[in-house]
Amino acid sequence: MWFPHYRLNKSMTYFARYLPILDWGRRYDRSAFSNDMIAAVIVTIMLIPQSLAYALLAGLPPEAGIYASIAPIVLYAVFGTSKALAVGPVAVVSLLTASAIGQVAETGTAGYAVAALTLAGLSGAFLVLLGVLRLGFLANFLSHPVIAGFITASGILIATSQLKHILGISAHGHTLPEMLGSIVAHLDQINLVTVVIGLSATGFLFWVRGSLKPLLKRLGMGPLMTDLLAKAGPVAAVASTTMAVWAFDLHGMGVKIVGDVPQSLPPFTVPGLSLDLIKTLLMPAILISVIGFVESISVAQTLAAKKRQRIDPDQELIGLGAANLGAAFTGGFPVTGGFSRSVVNFDAGSATPAAGIFTAIGLTVAALALTPLVYYLPNATLAATIIVAVLSLVDFSILRKTWGYARADFIAVAATIALTLIMGVEVGVASGVGISILLHLYKTSRPHVAEVGLVSGTQHFRNVKRHAVETNPHILTLRVDESLYFVNARFLEDLVQSRVTAGCDIKDVVLMFSAVNEVDFSALESLEAINLRLIDMGVGLHLSEVKGPVMDRLKKSHLIGDMNGEVFLSQYDAWVSLTR
């Protein structure tokens, strides 16, 4: 009777790998339900104004933000592996969305909304494909300095783009010079009432973020209520400014408002199938996918580490891909895991991804019952919400840190920030990736190769320039501190040739391969060339401390058989043998 049970467990394990809900769902209990409900209430309160604000940032109707926060959250809960990640619209992805679809359609048109759906669909499909093929490592091509520089520049662009709503003017542009130029050109349109609302909301939100929680704690309020009231700050700003616009008819005084928001469930929508549209949006979709995944996985792994939980990056790709596909078919736009919401979700005690499902239910209630209440919500308040949220992303300290640690990384960060601000987000991040790869290739093209000698009284070998070591004028030992491949193969070849010159006393050259993990075919040919030259000069070529996988590859070539020297297990064995 054990066999069917064994087969059932094996099948459940297989499906749980791709449907994590089958794993945590089996262990769900009343305690987890209670924790998830509390977290969901807090996140829902926070997410309502954020969703509206990020839709505004993406150039879409406010309801698109709510729609993009319902189905995607549920789908991530089914396919994702993080117990705390809160998926939905985020600032950087919303900015990328506006930048991408602004090239193919005009804001406010049906074509613009269709382009947003198409972008979400392409992004979702690309993420799922990466996850199925287990290609999450491709995101590693975005180095941390490049990401930090891009997010800093994006925060500046996002905050600047919202100044037009704070000032009540019309402005446009996708780069910092364009935005600032447009704002200056329209300063004569400033609406003072809008400025008062925008600045008041911004100041209040900054105060809530920095001072409200400590104040409530000093008043003796419990941690749960403190968190709830602190996170409800944006809701208070939304409610108070909406009431002010309604009560004093500020809309009639030129204050721009959200207006009608459909009171309905997310609609079924279909992304555009135009081949030209897909071609135009494909690269931006890939860029959004990678940026969103890197941001999401870093948040998920950070939060998971605090509870010693495990995140599966490839399954995360599938979870985020499903979320974006859900957004594409329910009137949304590209989404990913948000930092602030996820931290709030974690701090509120989220126990399982079910917290996301409960959040989606709360947002559904809001979509059905609360949307008439935001008719008089001023755009300036939503802009204030965005500005306060994104300025926390701006971190210029990365420039100081990279300058002091690695100038190459500083160049990558500075170039990414400058190009993003001056030429736009897509050019900025693409250039940052390109610069990072070029700098990596440059650094690895000149690998660190140290001449080493024996530390007296030991069997250890160290750099002759850093330590007092024993050397032999007839033996040259070079420790290669990098894998050898086509970029750096000639460098080693030239180095050996420069050290072993005609008439020198060197009789043997030992290449210490303790740090070499790979030797590609170009490097193999360089090693063969070194061997032939040394044979012509009457000098022996030896290898030491070659790793097993590297040796397995070398044995398949002619190098080992053609060498006029030996392969030693350790550098000390080579020293003892060659100094006799």
Side-chain angles (χ1 to χ4, degrees):
M1 294 296 293
W2 60 269
F3 183 73
H5 178 69
Y6 168 77
R7 290 291 298 273
L8 180 61
N9 285 340
K10 189 173 181 180
S11 298
M12 285 293 290
T13 301
Y14 174 79
F15 285 114
R17 177 181 174 183
Y18 296 100
L19 292 170
I21 191 173
L22 297 178
D23 181 30
W24 60 261
R26 288 182 297 168
R27 301 189 301 273
Y28 202 69
D29 55 22
R30 184 173 296 179
S31 174
F33 173 78
S34 175
N35 291 332
D36 288 341
M37 281 297 296
I38 293 172
V41 169
I42 295 175
V43 173
T44 301
I45 291 172
M46 180 182 184
L47 193 53
I48 291 173
Q50 273 196 358
S51 298
L52 299 173
Y54 290 145
L56 178 72
L57 176 59
L60 292 161
E63 64 269 18
I66 296 178
Y67 296 160
S69 302
I70 297 178
I73 295 178
V74 175
L75 287 167
Y76 178 81
V78 173
F79 293 98
T81 60
S82 172
K83 293 178 172 58
L85 193 69
V87 173
V90 300
V92 173
V93 171
S94 297
L95 175 66
L96 287 166
T97 298
S99 175
I101 59 182
Q103 301 173 14
V104 298
E106 186 177 345
T107 304
T109 64
Y112 193 93
V114 171
L117 299 175
T118 305
L119 193 63
L122 290 172
S123 178
F126 180 70
L127 287 166
V128 170
L129 179 63
L130 288 182
V132 171
L133 297 178
R134 309 189 72 78
L135 296 176
F137 70 89
L138 292 176
N140 295 335
F141 285 104
L142 278 175
S143 67
H144 174 71
V146 167
I147 287 292
F150 173 72
I151 289 177
T152 292
S154 296
I156 296 171
L157 287 178
I158 291 168
T160 305
S161 73
Q162 297 309 296
L163 290 179
K164 62 184 180 183
H165 298 297
I166 297 291
L167 300 174
I169 63 177
S170 300
H172 61 274
H174 294 293
T175 67
L176 189 61
E178 289 176 355
M179 290 179 190
L180 293 178
S182 183
I183 289 172
V184 171
H186 292 86
L187 284 178
D188 59 330
Q189 300 176 359
I190 286 179
N191 183 286
L192 293 180
V193 180
T194 301
V195 172
V196 171
I197 293 174
L199 293 181
S200 299
T202 304
F204 173 74
L205 290 173
F206 271 119
W207 177 78
V208 167
R209 173 166 289 208
S211 304
L212 180 58
K213 186 179 287 189
L215 175 63
L216 294 176
K217 287 182 178 178
R218 287 198 299 271
L219 294 176
M221 194 167 290
L224 179 60
M225 187 56 65
T226 297
D227 280 342
L228 187 61
L229 291 177
K231 299 304 182 293
V235 176
V238 166
S240 58
T241 54
T242 301
M243 286 289 293
V245 172
W246 171 75
F248 299 105
D249 190 26
L250 300 183
H251 178 46
M253 300 173 65
V255 175
K256 296 179 180 178
I257 59 176
V258 168
D260 284 314
V261 177
Q263 196 172 353
S264 66
L265 291 172
F268 175 75
T269 53
V270 179
L273 300 177
S274 165
L275 191 58
D276 289 338
L277 179 62
I278 291 173
K279 286 181 179 179
T280 304
L281 295 179
L282 183 59
M283 286 309 298
I286 292 174
L287 181 62
I288 287 173
S289 300
V290 175
I291 291 288
F293 173 66
V294 171
E295 180 178 353
S296 178
I297 196 67
S298 61
V299 174
Q301 289 178 334
T302 299
L303 297 179
K306 293 183 178 181
K307 291 187 177 181
R308 298 189 178 185
Q309 296 168 347
R310 178 180 174 273
I311 298 297
D312 182 348
D314 291 312
Q315 185 60 34
E316 283 297 289
L317 285 166
I318 295 175
L320 291 173
N324 276 280
L325 288 173
F329 288 95
T330 56
F333 56 97
V335 298
T336 192
F339 176 76
S340 58
R341 291 194 300 273
S342 299
V343 171
V344 169
N345 202 29
F346 179 86
D347 291 341
S350 170
T352 72
I357 297 175
F358 299 144
T359 299
I361 294 172
L363 290 170
T364 301
V365 173
L368 288 173
L370 302 182
T371 50
L373 301 179
V374 299
Y375 180 89
Y376 288 102
L377 172 61
N379 288 344
T381 301
L382 294 180
T385 301
I386 294 173
I387 290 172
V388 173
V390 301
L391 285 183
S392 63
L393 303 176
V394 177
D395 178 20
F396 285 112
S397 68
I398 190 67
L399 290 169
R400 174 178 52 81
K401 293 173 183 176
T402 52
W403 176 264
Y405 185 76
R407 298 295 167 87
D409 287 333
F410 171 81
I411 292 172
V413 173
T416 302
I417 291 176
L419 290 170
T420 301
L421 292 177
I422 296 171
M423 303 187 70
V425 289
E426 293 177 10
V427 173
V429 72
S431 300
V433 174
I435 291 170
S436 292
I437 293 174
L438 288 175
L439 288 173
H440 172 73
L441 291 175
Y442 173 76
K443 287 187 289 186
T444 56
S445 71
R446 303 177 62 84
H448 183 260
V449 179
E451 182 177 346
V452 298
L454 178 67
V455 178
S456 183
T458 72
Q459 297 183 11
H460 300 295
F461 288 78
R462 294 293 184 267
N463 193 330
V464 298
K465 295 181 179 180
R466 294 176 177 268
H467 302 272
V469 293
E470 298 178 21
T471 59
N472 187 313
H474 302 297
I475 303 173
L476 172 66
T477 298
L478 298 175
R479 188 189 67 216
V480 183
D481 292 334
E482 187 80 56
S483 291
L484 296 174
Y485 67 121
F486 67 96
V487 172
N488 59 25
R490 287 299 301 273
F491 178 84
L492 179 63
E493 191 176 335
D494 294 340
L495 178 63
V496 173
Q497 187 167 355
S498 68
R499 289 289 284 110
V500 186
T501 57
C504 71
D505 295 330
I506 296 173
K507 303 298 181 185
D508 292 284
V509 173
V510 183
L511 298 180
M512 189 175 173
F513 271 22
S514 54
V516 176
N517 297 315
E518 179 72 26
V519 176
D520 76 355
F521 192 78
S522 296
L524 173 65
E525 290 186 328
S526 286
L527 291 174
E528 290 174 341
I530 291 171
N531 181 55
L532 291 175
R533 288 174 186 167
L534 293 180
I535 289 174
D536 290 341
M537 299 173 68
V539 177
L541 175 63
H542 312 271
L543 304 179
S544 72
E545 303 190 10
V546 183
K547 294 182 177 179
V550 176
M551 194 63 197
D552 291 341
R553 298 280 294 275
L554 293 179
K555 285 179 178 178
K556 296 178 180 179
S557 70
H558 296 290
L559 176 66
I560 302 301
D562 293 343
M563 277 173 50
N564 63 342
E566 301 179 47
V567 178
F568 293 97
L569 182 64
S570 70
Q571 179 57 34
Y572 186 73
D573 290 343
W575 175 267
V576 171
S577 176
L578 299 175
T579 53
R580 289 174 181 170

